[in-house]
Amino acid sequence: MRIDDISAHLPYLRRYARALAGEQQRGDALVQGALQKAVSGEIDFNGQLPPRIALFRAFHDAMVETGMIAAEPQRGPDSRLQRLEAKSRQALLLTAMEGFSAQEAGQVLALPESQVEDLVARAHGDIELALKTRVLIIEDEPVIAADIEAIVGDLGHEVCAIATTRSEAIAEASRHQPGLVLADIQLADNSSGIDAANDILADLAVPIIFITAYPERLLTGERPEPAFLITKPFLPNAVKAAISQALFFEEDALPAPRRAQA
């Protein structure tokens, strides 16, 4: 399989790995390690699979071989690990965030389609049991903000405020101290959601999920980039999957203020 066949899919493998790991650095390292194993011949790309599926399958084969995916992530409290076990999270992220069908996700995970469907159903149940929190939405499009608010509400979380500009976002974050932020990149007054996030992170350790129509621009792996990223237009299950992952790593996602970059 030629590198050109898989290069277009690498940004989305980074997104998946970052969400799975809960942070950019570890997720990108997982991708890099898998690619090195492929180049060295330690694992093979399945030429009978479409390139995107073959790439994700090779990633999983490499991580299972090293034991980095077979085990539960060693982060967060034990109760949260029990609620969101590894295979359920993988199946949910593959289908909801990356858009694989259950059959395709089964090819990635080397599981029957029926088992993937069971894992996804289990993951949705786990999400409903997740810890509830206050959510700040930073979005200047009223219809999109309303859609996000409805999704957040369906998960049992409270939307504490909706901000449309950088200054509003900073003020609302200071006022409400949210446990999660969902932020658009381009805001109403041409201010940046990235800048708003940086200001919020300077004072508040909170997981932030970014929303953008151009995810590949924030998935290069060349600089500090978001761990959690949703593509516009989004599907409700993709938002739910991102929220579940962000809250899964909530307690140590941001041990100290840090900066997000565009």
Side-chain angles (χ1 to χ4, degrees), residues 207-218:
I208 295 180
I209 299 172
F210 287 98
I211 303 171
T212 176
Y214 305 100
E216 62 278 359
R217 296 180 184 177
L218 293 174

Side-chain angles (χ1 to χ4, degrees), residues 1-2 5-6 38 43-59 61 106-108 110:
M1 186 173 294
R2 299 177 299 115
D5 294 332
I6 64 172
I43 59 170
D44 295 324
F45 283 104
N46 188 331
Q48 297 181 340
L49 295 173
R52 184 172 73 122
I53 297 176
L55 176 63
F56 276 73
R57 173 62 179 267
F59 171 78
D61 287 347
Q107 291 176 307
V108 171

Side-chain angles (χ1 to χ4, degrees), residues 1-258:
M1 186 173 294
R2 299 177 299 115
I3 189 64
D4 290 345
D5 294 332
I6 64 172
S7 58
H9 305 296
L10 283 174
Y12 303 99
L13 180 61
R14 290 192 190 96
R15 173 172 64 182
Y16 171 71
R18 290 174 187 180
L20 199 61
E23 61 181 19
Q24 178 197 349
Q25 185 174 5
R26 184 166 182 264
D28 288 355
L30 291 175
V31 172
Q32 184 64 29
L35 292 177
Q36 289 173 349
K37 285 183 175 295
V39 170
S40 67
E42 295 179 61
I43 59 170
D44 295 324
F45 283 104
N46 188 331
Q48 297 181 340
L49 295 173
R52 184 172 73 122
I53 297 176
L55 176 63
F56 276 73
R57 173 62 179 267
F59 171 78
H60 269 272
D61 287 347
M63 296 305 99
V64 169
E65 180 181 302
T66 60
M68 298 180 77
I69 275 187
E72 297 286 0
Q74 297 179 4
R75 306 177 64 183
D78 290 342
S79 60
R80 193 170 298 161
L81 292 178
Q82 292 169 1
R83 291 174 180 170
L84 290 168
E85 58 95 16
K87 284 295 183 184
S88 292
R89 292 186 297 110
Q90 293 162 21
L92 178 62
L93 290 172
L94 287 169
T95 55
M97 180 177 288
E98 300 306 328
F100 286 102
S101 68
Q103 180 183 21
E104 292 169 335
Q107 291 176 307
V108 171
L109 299 173
L111 295 173
E113 180 180 354
S114 60
Q115 188 172 345
V116 171
E117 292 173 342
D118 290 343
L119 288 169
V120 171
R122 186 189 308 169
H124 283 299
D126 291 339
I127 291 172
E128 294 178 1
L129 295 176
L131 297 177
K132 304 300 185 285
T133 192
R134 296 186 307 279
V135 180
L136 169 62
I137 297 172
I138 308 173
E139 170 60 62
D140 64 328
E141 293 288 342
V143 173
I144 296 177
D147 287 343
I148 297 173
E149 183 176 16
I151 294 168
V152 169
D154 285 345
L155 291 175
H157 304 299
E158 173 194 352
V159 174
C160 58
I162 298 176
T164 61
T165 66
R166 175 183 178 182
S167 58
E168 286 182 7
I170 297 166
E172 296 293 359
S174 177
R175 180 179 301 115
H176 295 287
Q177 301 286 296
L180 177 68
V181 176
L182 285 88
D184 191 4
I185 302 297
Q186 186 65 43
L187 302 179
D189 58 352
N190 290 322
S191 59
S192 167
I194 293 284
D195 291 337
N198 284 331
D199 292 333
I200 292 170
L201 291 176
D203 298 315
L204 181 65
V206 58
I208 295 180
I209 299 172
F210 287 98
I211 303 171
T212 176
Y214 305 100
E216 62 278 359
R217 296 180 184 177
L218 293 174
L219 294 167
T220 65
E222 298 173 355
R223 54 188 173 179
E225 295 169 334
F228 303 106
L229 194 65
I230 296 171
T231 302
K232 285 184 176 181
F234 53 77
L235 297 175
N237 281 345
V239 180
K240 291 179 179 179
I243 289 174
S244 73
Q245 281 300 101
L247 294 180
F248 181 85
F249 292 109
E250 175 186 12
E251 288 197 355
D252 70 355
L254 293 170
R258 67 182 183 186

